[in-house]
Amino acid sequence: MAIFRSASGESGAEVVLAVGNPYGSRTLVVERDEDASVAYLCSPDGTVHGAVWLANHRPAPAVVDLARINSGLPPLMPRPNTLRPEGRRPLGQLSALWFEEGDGVALYEDDDLLAVIPGWADMSRGMPGYARDAVGESPFAWTLSEALEGLEPRIANARSYWRWRHSEGSWPSFQQFVMGHLDRVLGPAGRYWDASGERLPTVGITERPPHGKRDYSVLSTVGMSCQRMPTVEQWIDKPGAYARIELAVATREDPRDAALLLVWLAQYPWHSVTWLGHAHTARWYHEPETFPLGPRYSGVLMLADAPHMPDMSGFAFGGEAVRWLWLTPVTAETLDTHD
């Protein structure tokens, strides 16, 4: 059975809202026809990652309308699974609030919470989003009220985060905060590069030349920890200890070469909707001969608390400790053993 197939308007449904997350990696699309409304969480290529029924606009059928589903139209919720079996008027003014990570979204109707599609929603596994008017657990929506205990803190955090992030001076103050920490643990700063271009998240790279007994340069990202990484909660029981990172690399060669590794990975979690952690690997995206640290390597291994590297601990943001992951170049053979 095809469920929530459209997300394009091509099936005769009308797109009434389409809004992307701040990182350009997910779009919330709300479609409706005369009979029902539904919301989709899509990637830029149109893949639907999550979907939730929102409302029937005519009396609910007794059972699932399979013909309607198979034609790609927004599903009608069966009578036992809706608070409004008689149907309701078309939706009012809609607005979206993205989670800090960008992988989940709350949908509002006239400032009232209408639905939530969390990052772990997965239609292929029978896990839709939550809807205000849904009853119980159906393939189309789960009851929102029963999930609010867990969702409300996430929504409140998202609202306060974006209010802060869009306020004047938020980025310079955060940047100064990180740079001050690095001054204490690594010594004075050298050059600084922007690694974000025109896209969020904003990330820079700071160079720390040899200092004291340290005879090598250290480069670190500045800004990855300003927002939590997506999907961590799907893999880690206590994501708060792993959701915020910065990356670092040590080199005795030209620091500009090592900086290219940080440019490569600095925005990756948010644009690819994934996370980076201890013992993770990343395979260089281009021809091997272009790898910044030499053609004998094909990617990097990420290590927290790497041996013989400076202790970077002691920095926190949003009430959560930030972990520095050290990048170590590795060969194709090493990458193959980790895949």
Side-chain angles (χ1 to χ4, degrees):
M1 179 172 67
I3 298 178
F4 298 111
R5 192 176 57 190
S6 177
S8 66
E10 295 178 359
S11 62
E14 173 192 5
V15 175
V16 295
L17 179 71
V19 57
N21 72 9
Y23 313 118
S25 56
R26 290 287 185 267
T27 299
L28 176 68
V29 178
V30 177
E31 290 185 358
R32 69 169 294 263
D33 65 3
E34 293 181 354
D35 298 326
S37 294
V38 64
Y40 304 89
L41 189 62
C42 308
S43 58
D45 66 2
T47 301
V48 175
H49 296 277
V52 62
W53 164 90
L54 301 173
N56 290 348
H57 304 308
R58 68 171 176 82
V63 296
V64 175
D65 185 339
L66 289 177
R68 183 178 173 86
I69 295 298
N70 289 328
S71 68
L73 293 169
L76 279 164
M77 185 66 83
R79 189 176 302 121
N81 295 110
T82 173
L83 289 175
R84 301 191 186 195
E86 73 285 357
R88 56 151 292 174
R89 61 176 176 78
L91 299 174
Q93 183 69 35
L94 299 176
S95 60
L97 173 65
W98 291 97
F99 289 179
E100 179 180 343
E101 302 89 332
D103 60 347
V105 62
L107 177 64
Y108 288 82
E109 179 191 18
D110 301 325
D111 298 324
D112 292 327
L113 185 61
L114 177 64
V116 177
I117 307 180
W120 48 259
D122 185 342
M123 300 312 302
S124 65
R125 295 163 58 191
M127 297 189 299
Y130 300 93
R132 181 184 63 196
D133 292 345
V135 174
E137 295 183 0
S138 79
F140 310 134
W142 290 358
T143 304
L144 177 60
S145 59
E146 295 178 0
L148 285 178
E149 182 178 355
L151 292 173
E152 280 184 332
R154 294 288 300 275
I155 293 170
N157 288 343
R159 189 172 301 282
S160 61
Y161 174 78
W162 291 115
R163 184 183 301 120
W164 169 81
R165 189 64 185 86
H166 294 308
S167 65
E168 185 176 357
S170 62
W171 167 247
S173 66
F174 176 86
Q175 183 185 42
Q176 185 176 12
F177 194 23
V178 182
M179 295 288 278
H181 172 73
L182 295 174
D183 288 345
R184 290 188 291 274
V185 298
L186 295 175
R191 288 169 289 189
Y192 184 92
W193 299 275
D194 174 72
S196 48
E198 299 300 317
R199 298 198 300 173
L200 287 177
T202 303
V203 185
I205 298 169
T206 178
E207 171 196 17
R208 303 289 159 150
H211 178 72
K213 295 181 179 181
R214 176 169 52 80
D215 63 351
Y216 53 86
S217 296
V218 172
L219 294 99
S220 170
T221 57
V222 176
M224 293 182 73
S225 61
C226 189
Q227 51 281 305
R228 305 174 103 239
M229 290 184 292
T231 76
V232 180
E233 63 191 9
Q234 299 175 37
W235 302 93
I236 301 291
D237 288 337
K238 296 182 179 180
Y242 301 89
R244 299 189 189 274
I245 66 162
E246 299 286 352
L247 300 178
V249 61
T251 183
R252 291 186 174 90
E253 307 300 328
D254 189 337
R256 291 173 295 183
D257 293 333
L260 293 175
L261 296 178
L262 302 183
V263 173
W264 166 40
L265 294 173
Q267 296 179 310
Y268 180 79
W270 298 273
H271 293 170
S272 298
V273 192
T274 189
W275 68 293
L276 302 176
H278 175 69
H280 287 197
T281 58
R283 191 179 294 270
W284 182 242
Y285 69 99
H286 210 32
E287 289 81 4
E289 59 268 19
T290 67
F291 189 78
L293 301 185
R296 65 188 180 280
Y297 300 115
S298 295
V300 295
L301 171 68
M302 305 172 206
L303 298 173
D305 305 318
H308 314 300
M309 291 291 111
D311 179 5
M312 309 284 272
S313 62
F315 179 73
F317 182 70
E320 297 171 328
V322 174
R323 307 174 88 210
W324 260 263
L325 301 179
W326 291 88
L327 305 184
T328 301
V330 291
T331 63
E333 291 74 21
T334 301
L335 288 169
D336 291 339
T337 63
H338 280 78
D339 286 348

